[in-house]
Amino acid sequence: MLHTLEEEEPRLEEAYENLRLIREVMERSTKHSSLSGVSGLLVGTWAVIGVLLTRYYAYGSAELTLKANHVWILAAIWLAVLFCSVLTDFLMNKRAAAEVGKHVFSSLGARLIQAAAPGFTLGSVFTIYLLATGMISHIWGFWMLSYGLAICAVGLFSVRPVIFLGWSFLLAGAVTLFLPPISGLWMMGVTFGAFHICYGVFTGITRREW
Amino acid sequence: MPATDGKSLIGPSLDDIDETIHQKVRLGIMSALVARGESDFRFLKEALGLTDGNLSIHLAKLEEAGYVSMKKEFLHKKPHTTYQETEEGKIAFDRYLNALERIVQSGRRGK
């Protein structure tokens, strides 16, 4: 169909306007917090428990350095924290999905897992490397950086506070790398503990997503 | 002066494209369904900021065109209605996006 030049401008403007509308609606429709208020509170609590258990069972009481033979205690504690956190978030997402009659394994869920995978893979590689080279007591900053990376990627499909949370972990991780190991452990309490709890309270209050 | 006796050679126009999808509310519904997949009435209403009546009318038109399918079931003993884009709806949405893209490209070439 042929059109006069006078007709072109409004058509072009309308096309731009409709493309904007499509983009906005698509963004709004796919974004959700991924971590609800209760999830944040519980995940933060598991991390704080993990920090306290590590402090009393994996660190020597006098020298405050990680004992070589306590590496497996440390691994067991943090694998348990990871398991409890993943299970908590899964159950909370399942509950939220059930409320609207959706299955927890949605296409969005699959995308979130894909987005988080590189960060978690990096964290696992760092852990194996530091274990193999006997530098496991420096793990804390690397975990924060890897987790921050995963959260930033998830944030692309999620609400703004998730991206903010991801960047907070990245910055805290960068600082922690230069701290002594025992300070790094306390930073674990600040980041994986307090950051998640603050996020949980903020999400619960502002977005009413408990 | 416009070329070719007052007509330009800009091909596609918004007149060429699917009126069912072109309407703003229905375009919003289709965008939400394509992005999110199966969604319930409440979600669509909140995501698009529509009233029950307005949303119902436009969903009915999309259903009539065969672009959207509806599923009614009971959830926690309450009726629950969900909507999903059909294969035909996905094709129509893709075609609509292509048409918009062509208009934008033609506009850029014309500048």
Side-chain angles (χ1 to χ4, degrees):
Chain A
M1 191 181 281
L2 299 175
H3 297 282
T4 62
L5 283 177
E6 290 76 14
E7 288 172 317
E8 285 163 21
E9 271 310 306
R11 282 198 176 84
L12 190 61
E13 271 174 32
E14 199 176 357
Y16 275 124
E17 199 185 312
N18 286 6
L19 285 169
R20 255 197 310 274
L21 171 81
I22 292 167
R23 194 181 66 193
E24 279 171 18
V25 172
M26 283 186 153
E27 278 182 3
R28 220 180 303 148
S29 306
T30 51
K31 288 188 173 184
H32 76 150
S33 67
S34 333
L35 194 68
S36 67
V38 177
S39 283
L41 290 175
L42 288 173
V43 167
T45 306
W46 304 143
V48 170
I49 293 172
V51 166
L52 294 175
L53 289 175
T54 307
R55 167 64 187 85
Y56 290 105
Y57 290 104
Y59 276 85
S61 54
E63 65 273 32
L64 289 182
T65 51
L66 192 65
K67 290 188 167 183
N69 57 345
H70 285 171
V71 161
W72 298 111
I73 297 174
L74 180 136
I77 291 169
W78 289 98
L79 277 175
V81 169
L82 178 68
F83 176 77
C84 290
S85 303
V86 171
L87 185 68
T88 301
D89 199 39
F90 174 78
L91 292 176
M92 290 297 148
N93 271 322
K94 195 177 170 192
R95 184 193 65 165
E99 276 174 13
V100 291
K102 284 189 78 125
H103 202 277
V104 67
F105 295 110
S106 62
S107 55
L108 176 60
R111 265 180 282 172
L112 294 178
I113 291 170
Q114 278 177 8
F120 280 100
T121 306
L122 190 68
S124 309
V125 170
F126 276 144
T127 307
I128 293 165
Y129 175 75
L130 293 175
L131 264 176
T133 53
M135 298 194 293
I136 195 67
S137 57
H138 294 279
I139 191 67
W140 315 121
F142 290 101
W143 276 355
M144 287 170 212
L145 288 171
S146 309
Y147 186 70
L149 191 69
I151 294 294
C152 279
V154 166
L156 294 174
F157 303 98
S158 196
V159 292
R160 203 180 293 262
V162 175
I163 295 180
F164 184 75
L165 183 70
W167 275 102
S168 305
F169 268 94
L170 285 174
L171 290 174
V175 171
T176 304
L177 284 180
F178 297 95
L179 296 176
I182 189 65
S183 306
L185 178 65
W186 298 133
M187 282 296 280
M188 283 290 282
V190 171
T191 54
F192 285 88
F195 281 9
H196 278 132
I197 290 170
C198 289
Y199 173 88
V201 172
F202 179 79
T203 306
I205 292 171
T206 58
R207 294 180 60 84
R208 292 180 194 159
E209 280 185 30
W210 291 105
Chain B
M1 280 291 287
T4 61
D5 62 333
K7 303 277 180 184
S8 79
L9 291 174
I10 290 176
S13 80
L14 287 174
D15 302 336
D16 296 331
I17 54 184
D18 193 333
E19 276 304 317
T20 309
I21 292 187
H22 183 50
Q23 201 279 339
K24 289 272 193 296
V25 175
R26 294 196 287 271
L27 181 60
I29 296 171
M30 287 305 293
S31 306
L33 292 178
V34 168
R36 193 174 187 257
E38 191 178 358
S39 305
D40 66 1
F41 191 89
R42 194 184 73 178
F43 171 82
L44 290 171
K45 191 182 139 184
E46 285 172 6
L48 301 168
L50 299 170
T51 61
D52 285 7
N54 201 4
L55 179 59
S56 299
I57 290 168
H58 290 290
L59 278 169
K61 286 198 175 157
L62 287 169
E63 264 191 274
E64 210 175 289
Y67 293 169
V68 163
S69 64
M70 180 183 65
K71 192 168 80 185
K72 277 191 174 180
E73 58 194 353
F74 281 89
L75 189 70
H76 311 306
K77 295 179 183 171
K78 287 180 187 165
H80 184 245
T81 312
T82 53
Y83 297 86
Q84 189 159 24
E85 81 284 13
T86 60
E87 207 47 49
E88 202 180 331
K90 273 184 209 164
I91 293 166
F93 188 76
D94 278 350
R95 214 181 296 133
Y96 183 82
L97 278 183
N98 288 337
L100 288 188
E101 199 183 333
R102 283 200 305 273
I103 292 164
V104 170
Q105 280 171 354
S106 309
R108 281 185 184 153
R109 275 200 299 270
K111 281 186 179 174

